[in-house]
């Protein structure tokens, strides 16, 4: 199953070129379709694969509070004031609660 298609890559490239709130709000349905939904499916499937392999990592496929990092940047203390990340990051935490994490990043 393909998760991140050329459409997702194109969206992230365009976001990098037009990283402002007006552009993103107009493109938000596209973001949800070609980037966010596939990322959540990947988190769900990868969590199952990790469990089947006996690896001690898990994550929740949720838009907020799960394994998908937010697209919104916290630019308060940064010289870069662009409002959005030009990549997506997912994470799987260690089941024993330690801080060890798996964190793949998808970007342009």
């Amino acid at each position: 199953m393909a998760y991140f298609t050329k459409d997702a890559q194109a969206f992230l490239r365009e976001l990098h070129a037009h990283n402002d709130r007006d552009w993103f709000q107009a493109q938000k349905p596209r973001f949800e379709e070609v980037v966010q939904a596939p990322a959540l499916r990947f988190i769900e499937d990868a969590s199952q694969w990790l469990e089947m392999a006996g690896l001690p990592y898990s994550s929740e496929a949720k838009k907020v509070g799960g394994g998908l990092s937010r697209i919104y940047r916290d630019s308060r203390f940064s010289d870069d004031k662009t409002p959005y990340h030009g990549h997506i990051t997912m994470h799987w935490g260690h089941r024993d609660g330690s801080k060890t994490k798996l964190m793949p990043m998808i970007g342009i």
Side-chain angles (χ1 to χ4, degrees), residues 43-55:
I43 290 168
E44 180 70 30
D45 291 349
S47 293
Q48 291 175 9
W49 301 329
L50 291 167
E51 185 175 346
M52 287 187 306
L55 297 172

Side-chain angles (χ1 to χ4, degrees), residues 31-66:
F31 163 75
E32 291 171 344
E33 178 185 344
V34 302
V35 177
Q36 188 178 54
L40 292 172
R41 284 194 313 271
F42 181 80
I43 290 168
E44 180 70 30
D45 291 349
S47 293
Q48 291 175 9
W49 301 329
L50 291 167
E51 185 175 346
M52 287 187 306
L55 297 172
Y57 295 96
S58 65
S59 188
E60 291 185 70
K62 298 186 334 183
K63 290 181 182 180
V64 177

Side-chain angles (χ1 to χ4, degrees), residues 8-27:
Q9 293 171 350
F11 178 87
L12 293 173
R13 259 192 309 279
E14 290 171 33
L15 176 61
H16 184 71
H18 307 283
N19 198 328
D20 64 72
R21 286 178 177 81
D22 291 337
W23 183 88
F24 186 79
Q25 287 306 312
Q27 299 295 319

